Amino acid sequence: MRVDRGYRAWAVDTWCRLVTGTLRLEAEAIAIPFSIQNPSTQAGIAYTTPTEGLPYGATLVLEWTPSETARSLLWEVGFASADAAYGFPFHGPTSSTGGAPGDYFGTQVTGADDLNINSFRFHPSYQVDLILWRTLLGGVSEAAYARTRVRDTFLDTFTLEAAAIYSHGLKPASNPGGIAPLGVEADLSALVEIGQFSARLDYGLLFPLGGLAIRGNQPNSPAQLLMMRLGYEAS
């Protein structure tokens, strides 16, 4: 049965890039105000109070590449707006059931006293780390992060890369541990490209902070991830 939800949304996205000499400055910001006049997920039941929200996010990247070298140094900061509901937003659709303190994931509405959704999630293809956002939480959401990365290429075939990322929750009460600091991560990678073949090895080490802990307990133990990818580019 077709149901008129009265859904309206607008997306405003701005992007700019400036390259001069050895520097690259790139920035993007997006906001998506929306409203759903009837947000009910139950057949035959209509809500008279609309669901509304204003998710937004932004990134800023500065990269320095010394002249006549394959070396680069990158600094990046970004954030995704947060909602006061408990837990990070689910990766997909969910029912209107409320979360509880300490939840890692939770719906951002309850269907009763909370019908606003203000959490924003970066697209999963925008990867700022290896473990926390890319693997565990499905994309930067409800947090700010700062990242630095150094990369160098040798003999046109061998590339080494090292990065450090700090993540900070924007709504501490929404985080599983009830406080803002989420984690510090160190990532290393090595890439070999010979002709049409490539091999990449990635290693990540995540040190969870209090925001990822079970509420009232100590932070979780460090997490590690080792990933290898082989590639072949057909001509």
Side-chain angles (χ1 to χ4, degrees):
M1 181 178 66
R2 181 177 178 180
V3 177
D4 184 7
R5 300 294 182 185
Y7 174 70
R8 300 290 185 272
W10 300 263
V12 181
D13 192 353
T14 60
W15 171 81
C16 65
R17 181 178 184 178
L18 175 64
V19 179
T20 173
T22 61
L23 292 176
R24 173 177 69 92
L25 179 65
E26 195 164 350
E28 184 171 9
I30 184 171
I32 310 176
F34 74 92
S35 66
I36 306 174
Q37 297 303 310
N38 176 19
S40 172
T41 60
Q42 304 175 24
I45 298 178
Y47 290 169
T48 59
T49 303
T51 288
E52 298 176 335
L54 180 58
Y56 57 92
T59 61
L60 177 66
V61 177
L62 176 64
E63 185 175 25
W64 174 59
T65 305
S67 300
E68 302 179 356
T69 71
R71 187 178 303 112
S72 68
L73 182 59
L74 179 143
W75 299 271
E76 178 180 356
V77 292
F79 72 91
S81 62
D83 193 281
Y86 295 117
F88 295 100
F90 282 116
H91 301 175
T94 182
S95 61
S96 297
T97 56
D103 286 351
Y104 273 83
F105 295 100
T107 179
Q108 303 302 294
V109 297
T110 65
D113 58 340
D114 176 15
L115 286 171
N116 291 326
I117 302 177
N118 294 307
S119 57
F120 184 80
R121 180 190 297 279
F122 282 20
H123 193 283
S125 294
Y126 192 81
Q127 297 164 356
V128 302
D129 61 10
L130 186 63
I131 301 178
L132 179 59
W133 298 114
R134 178 177 175 176
T135 302
L136 297 179
L137 299 180
V140 176
S141 61
E142 301 199 337
Y145 69 90
R147 176 170 77 121
T148 184
R149 186 207 69 198
V150 61
R151 174 189 292 166
D152 204 352
T153 300
F154 307 90
L155 304 175
D156 296 325
T157 62
F158 187 52
T159 300
L160 291 176
E161 184 178 302
I165 308 97
Y166 170 71
S167 300
H168 193 86
L170 297 181
K171 291 281 188 180
S174 175
N175 294 337
I179 60 176
L182 295 174
V184 176
E185 181 169 332
D187 297 331
L188 302 173
S189 70
L191 172 66
V192 178
E193 297 175 294
I194 302 176
Q196 296 169 287
F197 294 91
S198 66
R200 181 181 177 113
L201 185 66
D202 291 281
Y203 171 75
L205 177 61
L206 170 65
F207 297 94
L209 299 178
L212 293 177
I214 299 173
R215 191 157 296 206
N217 290 352
Q218 296 297 318
N220 295 317
S221 301
Q224 302 181 67
L225 178 63
L226 182 65
M227 178 169 60
M228 184 175 186
R229 289 171 286 176
L230 302 176
Y232 173 76
E233 183 180 357
S235 57

